[in-house]
Amino acid sequence: MKDADAMVFVVDDDSSIREAIKNLVSLVGLGVETFGTAQEFLRSERPDVPGCVVLDVELPGLSGLDLQRPIIFITGYGDIPMSVRAMKAGALEFLTKPFRDQELLDAIQHALERDRAARQHSRESAELHERFDGLTSREREVMSLVVAGWLNKQIGFELRISEITVKIHRGRVMNKMGAQSLAELVKMTEKLELPTAKDQSAKTK
Amino acid sequence: MVAVLTFVCFRLRVNLTIASLLYLTVVVLLSVTYAVVGSIFVSVVAVLCLDYFFAPPLFSLRLADPLDIVALVVFLGTALLIGRLMAQRKRAEQALQKVLEELELKVQERTAELAKANDELRGEINERQLAEEALQKAQAELAHVSRVMTLGELTASISHEVNQPIAAIVTNGQVCLRLLALEMRRPDDLRTAVERIVRDANRASEVIQRIRALAKRSEPQMDSLDINEVIREAIPLVQREVFNHGASLRAELAFALPPVLGDRVQLQQVVINLLINGVEAMAPIMDRPRELLIRSGHEAGEVYVAVRDSGIGIDAKTAEELFSAFFTTKPSGMGMGLSISRSIIRAHGGRLWVSPNPDHGAAFQFTVPIYG
């Protein structure tokens, strides 16, 4: 598990715990940074790499925090209200101190994978949005009707343009969006979470 | 004696005046030593003797010179007067003697009574001392019971305080195992981890020592103390309780406080008591932050500690009852905490009182005189 590009952020008010976790995590080759309070952590400048937060659930001022990363909660004693609170706060794992080292490392690994996937997803989504923003308004109109399953002829009629022009627009959309097939374009539309043209088709029929 | 005198005087042919003075002397001497009747008898005999032996015509009871008659009459009068005076003096003396004796007796009686009263008093003092000792012992026991009860309430805080270093020890131990499993030796890292294990183990042990001191029943032990240290040791024990009540605890401790003479455990008990009370007084508060503030400082020869909460506050009527035993506003309380706290602070020569805050809640404050 060598992954120097990933960061583990440890937030605990107990310096002994901070040091110990830092020791363990850096031993497996992960980057690690420690903080005494949640506020300190929020104020810090965090590198834009996959990461996760190991957080003491008993820290004050945790409610309503949006840490933007998967969280592994650690606690001195795990009663039910506390686990509920942790889960509500978005806990990926909930470990009771003292924990087994492998348990924590597995949880960290899991969290990093989750963050990596999330980052991948958001990166793709950002790219798609960028591509989509590069389309002209006419191209967007054509695209929405294409993914709704309309034929070129129908689209031409609807938009009052020739079928040839529809084909040209369609080719440009496929090209700009980088889609190899209609199926791929449909998937992209889903990822973009655009309104489909179904409503429109219903209207014309 | 009268006869001897008469014979001697007659032979020496002393005159009537000298003889009568000598007789008078005899009368005085007799009346000092004998009863009044004796002196009267001697007076009469002396008059007869003077008449018979010294007043002419001699050896007859007749008197030739009328002046002699006067002299004899005066002699008799004087002799009788002296006898009477002497008798009176004697009676007075005797009466005085009697009074003195009676007084002596009375003094003895009174002294005996006093001694008895003294004995009784001493016995009572003894009894009172025993009672006081018993009371103190009972109070110490009560303080101990309430301390143990408080510790019971603080179980969560305490176990947290012990669990933290243990968790760190476990993790550091696992780090050691991982380091040992590596092919490459990293003695420096290993040493660091082991040193941390030792440090954290000591820390856990110190917490346990502190709790044991609180749980132990022991005679009050007066030492020179830094009250800030007492507060700093008490805070971790209530930290979890504060957290569980959704409250925050802030400490504003004065720098370089003069020492006080006190029992560390007892003063810690008071501090813990006040902090727990403050936390519980804030439990019903929903519309403002639950903030607990503990301050220390000193003025006018005293060190003070104040615990201020933003809780429900205390009305004037309750404030008076607050410190009496078995008074409680809490559903689960025994009502001993403040009463015991006050008796502890009094035993330290200080005061414990409560005052309302200008905005919300109350402030409990105690003082202890500066030592030295």
Side-chain angles (χ1 to χ4, degrees):
Chain A
M1 191 159 77
K2 296 276 165 192
D3 192 352
D5 294 339
M7 282 299 292
V8 177
F9 305 100
V10 180
V11 190
D12 195 310
D13 60 345
D14 193 302
S15 64
S16 294
I17 302 272
R18 284 204 301 270
E19 281 174 2
I21 295 177
K22 183 178 180 176
N23 235 353
L24 176 66
V25 172
S26 55
L27 198 60
V28 296
L30 289 170
V32 59
E33 251 187 273
T34 61
F35 305 91
T37 65
Q39 283 65 34
E40 215 179 290
F41 171 62
L42 287 176
R43 276 199 303 269
S44 69
E45 275 198 25
R46 300 183 290 280
D48 187 22
V49 294
C52 69
V53 186
V54 177
L55 184 63
D56 183 358
V57 80
E58 279 124 355
L59 281 180
L62 282 192
S63 53
L65 278 191
D66 185 8
L67 299 181
Q68 302 280 346
R69 312 245 183 191
I71 304 169
I72 298 154
F73 273 116
I74 49 177
T75 175
Y77 77 124
D79 58 3
I80 290 172
M82 191 164 280
S83 356
V84 168
R85 226 170 52 191
M87 289 305 167
K88 271 189 182 162
L92 197 66
E93 282 283 351
F94 190 75
L95 300 177
T96 309
K97 297 180 210 173
F99 37 75
R100 278 184 43 237
D101 53 350
Q102 200 53 54
E103 244 176 345
L104 178 68
L105 293 176
D106 287 349
I108 287 174
Q109 192 67 293
H110 178 204
L112 289 178
E113 270 159 28
R114 170 82 67 102
D115 194 41
R116 217 170 271 131
R119 286 170 165 275
Q120 179 76 21
H121 179 260
S122 72
R123 202 163 42 238
E124 277 172 14
S125 152
E127 229 175 78
L128 269 183
H129 274 282
E130 209 175 297
R131 285 184 215 158
F132 183 72
D133 289 344
L135 300 182
T136 63
S137 57
R138 180 60 90 191
E139 283 164 356
R140 283 183 210 171
E141 277 176 326
V142 172
M143 177 174 160
S144 70
L145 295 173
V146 167
V147 297
W150 288 32
L151 300 173
N152 290 346
K153 200 185 277 177
Q154 289 173 302
I155 297 171
F157 183 78
E158 173 74 17
L159 300 177
R160 296 174 203 286
I161 49 176
S162 68
E163 205 181 324
I164 306 276
T165 317
V166 172
K167 272 187 180 167
I168 293 169
H169 282 310
R170 190 172 171 160
R172 285 214 189 111
V173 167
M174 295 295 274
N175 197 24
K176 280 186 180 174
M177 291 303 288
Q180 301 296 320
S181 64
L182 179 60
E184 209 175 324
L185 193 66
V186 171
K187 259 192 195 167
M188 285 177 182
T189 316
E190 272 170 8
K191 278 185 186 166
L192 282 167
E193 290 166 2
L194 297 176
T196 57
K198 271 172 194 154
D199 308 340
Q200 280 174 304
S201 68
K203 199 168 63 188
T204 46
K205 277 177 187 169
Chain B
M1 195 171 166
V2 176
V4 171
L5 183 67
T6 310
F7 179 73
V8 169
C9 289
F10 187 71
R11 268 308 165 101
L12 293 174
R13 295 182 180 281
V14 293
N15 67 7
L16 179 66
T17 317
I18 292 181
S20 62
L21 279 173
L22 286 171
Y23 277 118
L24 210 52
T25 310
V26 171
V27 168
V28 169
L29 282 173
L30 280 174
S31 63
V32 169
T33 46
Y34 296 101
V36 67
V37 187
S39 78
I40 293 171
F41 175 71
V42 171
S43 304
V44 173
V45 170
V47 169
L48 292 177
C49 286
L50 282 172
D51 189 357
Y52 196 77
F53 293 106
F54 299 99
L58 295 184
F59 307 117
S60 140
L61 286 174
R62 281 183 301 111
L63 288 167
D65 193 344
L67 268 177
D68 284 348
I69 298 175
V70 173
L72 282 181
V73 167
V74 168
F75 173 83
L76 184 62
T78 308
L80 287 175
L81 190 64
I82 284 173
R84 195 181 144 79
L85 281 174
M86 279 315 201
Q88 268 180 358
R89 202 191 71 109
K90 218 171 188 173
R91 270 206 302 278
E93 231 170 47
Q94 277 168 352
L96 197 65
Q97 187 67 32
K98 207 177 154 198
V99 167
L100 274 176
E101 274 166 17
E102 271 170 20
L103 205 62
E104 179 91 355
L105 212 69
K106 257 189 193 158
V107 167
Q108 272 173 8
E109 261 172 37
R110 280 287 150 86
T111 310
E113 268 171 35
L114 266 178
K116 203 178 148 203
N118 204 17
D119 275 356
E120 273 169 23
L121 212 59
R122 208 166 280 155
E124 265 170 40
I125 288 171
N126 252 348
E127 254 168 53
R128 181 164 292 198
Q129 259 171 359
L130 284 177
E132 220 155 82
E133 270 164 32
L135 185 68
Q136 262 174 10
K137 215 174 139 197
Q139 248 170 359
E141 234 155 80
L142 204 56
H144 173 248
V145 167
S146 107
R147 208 154 58 217
V148 171
M149 278 182 64
T150 311
L151 281 179
E153 285 173 36
L154 296 181
T155 310
S157 281
I158 291 165
S159 53
H160 177 77
E161 263 307 286
V162 180
N163 196 45
Q164 282 299 86
I166 287 177
I169 290 168
V170 170
T171 302
N172 276 318
Q174 289 165 339
V175 166
C176 287
L177 289 176
R178 279 173 186 270
L179 283 168
L180 288 170
L182 290 177
E183 276 184 24
M184 193 175 57
R185 295 198 167 203
R186 290 164 65 175
D188 289 346
D189 291 343
L190 204 53
R191 177 174 301 112
T192 309
V194 173
E195 276 168 2
R196 285 177 182 167
I197 289 174
V198 171
R199 182 199 60 196
D200 293 337
N202 280 330
R203 183 180 140 204
S205 165
E206 270 165 32
V207 175
I208 290 171
Q209 298 281 329
R210 246 175 7 233
I211 292 154
R212 271 181 61 178
L214 275 171
K216 212 168 76 182
R217 181 170 47 208
S218 57
E219 297 290 306
Q221 207 180 329
M222 303 302 257
D223 295 311
S224 173
L225 297 176
D226 177 3
I227 206 98
N228 283 345
E229 225 171 87
V230 172
I231 296 172
R232 274 191 216 106
E233 282 180 7
I235 285 178
L237 299 183
V238 300
Q239 196 76 63
R240 172 59 76 101
E241 201 64 21
V242 172
F243 173 78
N244 283 352
H245 280 80
S248 66
L249 170 59
R250 201 154 50 90
E252 284 177 10
L253 306 184
F255 182 68
L257 272 185
V260 298
L261 186 66
D263 181 89
R264 175 181 297 270
V265 168
Q266 286 194 342
L267 290 179
Q268 231 160 50
Q269 181 180 3
V270 174
V271 170
I272 289 172
N273 243 323
L274 296 184
L275 289 175
I276 294 290
N277 278 349
V279 167
E280 285 175 352
M282 296 192 293
I285 302 303
M286 294 297 165
D287 58 341
R288 55 177 181 265
R290 297 172 188 159
E291 286 168 342
L292 196 58
L293 170 69
I294 181 163
R295 283 187 308 124
S296 70
H298 69 103
E299 60 181 20
E302 288 179 319
V303 168
Y304 67 83
V305 175
V307 176
R308 206 182 71 189
D309 63 58
S310 58
I312 46 176
I314 292 155
D315 57 75
K317 189 176 157 285
T318 317
E320 286 168 27
E321 294 174 303
L322 217 49
F323 295 95
S324 48
F326 302 114
F327 177 86
T328 182
T329 56
K330 297 179 232 163
S332 64
M334 198 169 74
M336 291 310 297
L338 280 174
S339 147
I340 287 168
S341 294
R342 184 174 257 188
S343 70
I344 287 174
I345 293 301
R346 279 190 178 152
H348 280 77
R351 292 165 296 135
L352 168 62
W353 72 97
V354 62
S355 46
N357 292 333
D359 43 0
H360 302 294
F364 283 86
Q365 188 163 339
F366 72 82
T367 62
V368 183
I370 289 171
Y371 177 50

